[in-house]
Amino acid sequence: MKNVLNTLLILTTCLLVLSSFTENDNSGTGYQIGDVATDFSLKNVDGKMVSLSDYKDAKGFIVIFTCNTCPYAVASEDRINALDAEFKKKGYPVIAINPNNPAIQPADTYEAMQQKSVEKGFSFPYLYDESHTIYAIYGAKKTPHTYVLKKEHNKLIVKYMGAIDDNVRDGSQVKKRFLAEAVNELLHGKEVTVSETKAIGCGVKA
Amino acid sequence: MGLICMVFFSLGACKNPEDRLNNDLEEASSLSSLVDVPVITFDELQERIFALDNDTLYVVNFWATWCKPCVKELPAFEMADSVFKDKKVKVVLVSLDFPEHLEQGVRPFIMDQGLKSEVVILDDPDANTWIPLVSNEWSGAIPATVIVKKGKKHFYERSFTVEGLDSEVRKFL
């Protein structure tokens, strides 16, 4: 009897392990709303490595895949600074990641990122996805491409994906702040109403 | 991407270099205005292409002058426009350049590259509304292409080679 129980236990464990692998196998498609997002350790423009687990007090994160060169990313720079100013103090800091490969997009080097960060006075980490893998796990297809993650039971759950707002070209003409509304809903303990939006962006060059 | 576009026309009938330069500039500017680049909304794009019920196969490419992979694949679309001209195939290059970039960027680019395909600039900032109307599969990254006939769309979020686009278009002829 004990043997049978042991066998059952082992089989159940195997099934659980297998099913968890299946659930997390997002290769190629990227995250869906509700998925557990991966942490990472990427080099910031100040030379230090940054992980989401470094932020013990954060309630969540605004992760933005962006770059130096894409006109849509450039048009969003001030808005990304503003998002960090608005939400870092509320527990949702901005973490920016450049997924592009300088071999393909020469102005997206780490040195150019450092320069951009200084010029634009970025108040947030601007990380280099040097192995060009994190963007693929997240499923970022373009720059800018944003994700809002919320800490739940020490896991980072994807709550929002897509655009910063409804006018990527011109911040002064924005009518709907999709990302900010999503974070505000989370801060008020609500679920996100509009959890996926789309904007034109430059395809990730990696 | 830096765009330097100089247009020179050789004119034999000028008296001196200064006149010749003036003539060149006049001619360049009149030719430039001949390149018709309509700035349209998404509703207008729908009316022009996606809502049509004729026999033409439209190859619609979303691109921008500053998008390197887009510029790299333009020869494939130019090829399709000329090779399949007699087979009711029409290429439309939908530029997502900022409309204020038309005179200094897009129009000189079209002339410099000698683009023969129709080019329009899509001026519709509310992309969250119209991207899914192009295709639910589209993340919003460019380049992206739609091959459409009588409202039936096939969507591609990728680059095309000359051969790749040729064989894709032939599937629908």
Side-chain angles (χ1 to χ4, degrees):
Chain A
M1 188 63 190
K2 201 178 172 189
N3 274 344
V4 175
L5 274 177
N6 273 342
T7 314
L8 269 176
L9 189 66
I10 290 166
L11 273 175
T12 316
T13 314
C14 283
L15 277 174
L16 278 175
V17 168
L18 276 175
S19 68
S20 72
F21 270 121
T22 317
E23 263 176 37
N24 289 331
D25 182 15
N26 287 309
S27 55
T29 55
Y31 290 143
Q32 306 293 316
I33 298 298
D35 280 354
V36 178
T38 185
D39 196 356
F40 41 73
S41 178
L42 298 174
K43 190 160 76 168
N44 192 11
V45 283
D46 64 3
K48 293 176 185 155
M49 302 303 284
V50 170
S51 295
L52 298 179
S53 58
D54 300 339
Y55 293 75
K56 303 288 180 217
D57 299 329
K59 294 173 183 162
F61 297 93
I62 299 169
V63 176
I64 303 182
F65 292 89
T66 188
C67 70
N68 299 330
T69 47
C70 172
Y72 292 105
V74 172
S76 303
E77 285 163 356
D78 291 342
R79 276 174 274 177
I80 298 174
N81 257 338
L83 283 169
D84 192 51
E86 183 176 357
F87 291 113
K88 183 156 56 186
K89 59 187 181 230
K90 295 179 179 173
Y92 279 81
V94 167
I95 310 286
I97 303 173
N98 169 22
N100 283 352
N101 184 349
I104 303 168
Q105 185 63 269
D108 276 329
T109 59
Y110 177 70
E111 291 71 24
M113 288 172 61
Q114 291 177 308
Q115 204 179 335
K116 169 72 79 183
S117 177
V118 171
E119 270 171 19
K120 294 301 296 183
F122 284 170
S123 56
F124 47 84
Y126 186 22
L127 312 178
Y128 184 35
D129 187 2
E130 195 164 7
S131 64
H132 316 294
T133 51
I134 299 301
Y135 88 90
I137 296 170
Y138 275 69
K141 297 277 186 353
K142 58 196 162 59
T143 54
H145 199 151
T146 80
Y147 295 78
V148 174
L149 314 177
K150 184 186 174 210
K151 261 190 207 170
E152 286 180 354
H153 310 294
N154 273 328
K155 283 181 177 165
L156 296 163
I157 310 297
V158 178
K159 293 290 184 180
Y160 173 85
M161 303 191 291
I164 293 173
D165 51 45
D166 66 353
N167 194 329
V168 66
R169 248 162 44 191
D170 186 354
S172 70
Q173 300 295 316
V174 168
K175 295 189 187 75
K176 289 185 196 136
R177 299 173 70 216
F178 299 131
L179 189 153
E181 283 170 22
V183 179
N184 276 325
E185 283 178 319
L186 294 173
L187 286 169
H188 288 97
K190 297 175 187 164
E191 281 303 311
V192 176
T193 319
V194 180
S195 55
E196 284 187 71
T197 60
K198 292 199 169 164
I200 290 293
C202 306
V204 169
K205 295 166 184 71
Chain B
M1 129 172 186
L3 253 187
I4 303 165
C5 176
M6 303 283 283
V7 185
F8 292 107
F9 295 94
S10 57
L11 290 174
C14 297
K15 288 171 196 161
N16 60 49
E18 202 171 313
D19 276 358
R20 183 169 167 163
L21 180 65
N22 286 337
N23 277 336
D24 284 357
L25 287 173
E26 273 170 31
E27 182 135 340
S29 116
S30 69
L31 267 181
S32 164
S33 60
L34 285 178
V35 181
D36 184 30
V37 187
V39 179
I40 63 173
T41 63
F42 186 74
D43 283 346
E44 288 168 312
L45 187 68
Q46 291 269 52
E47 287 164 18
R48 274 170 181 252
I49 298 167
F50 296 127
L52 291 180
D53 194 29
N54 60 27
D55 287 334
T56 303
L57 182 76
Y58 287 89
V59 179
V60 185
N61 173 243
F62 293 88
W63 71 294
T65 57
W66 40 257
C67 164
K68 278 187 188 173
C70 304
V71 170
K72 198 176 164 193
E73 67 170 359
L74 283 177
F77 292 91
E78 286 287 282
M79 175 282 301
D81 193 57
S82 66
V83 168
F84 299 114
K85 217 168 198 95
D86 304 333
K87 298 197 167 137
K88 290 192 175 174
V89 174
K90 185 169 170 51
V91 169
V92 182
L93 303 174
V94 179
S95 161
L96 293 163
D97 282 88
F98 299 1
E100 56 269 27
H101 195 52
L102 170 59
E103 296 308 331
Q104 298 301 315
V106 181
R107 213 192 291 275
F109 180 88
I110 293 168
M111 295 180 66
D112 189 39
Q113 302 276 321
L115 298 184
K116 300 282 191 294
S117 308
E118 181 180 351
V119 180
V120 299
I121 290 187
L122 179 57
D123 181 17
D124 205 325
D126 186 13
N128 186 48
T129 302
W130 61 256
I131 286 173
L133 296 176
V134 174
S135 170
N136 272 325
E137 298 166 47
W138 191 9
S139 76
I142 53 172
T145 297
V146 184
I147 299 180
V148 57
K149 187 172 179 179
K150 291 191 177 185
K152 194 168 175 3
K153 291 180 202 156
H154 302 269
F155 177 76
Y156 311 85
E157 185 170 322
R158 62 173 174 93
S159 295
F160 277 104
T161 58
V162 171
E163 297 78 20
L165 186 61
D166 183 87
S167 69
E168 202 59 40
V169 170
R170 283 179 198 279
K171 285 184 194 169
F172 303 108
L173 292 179

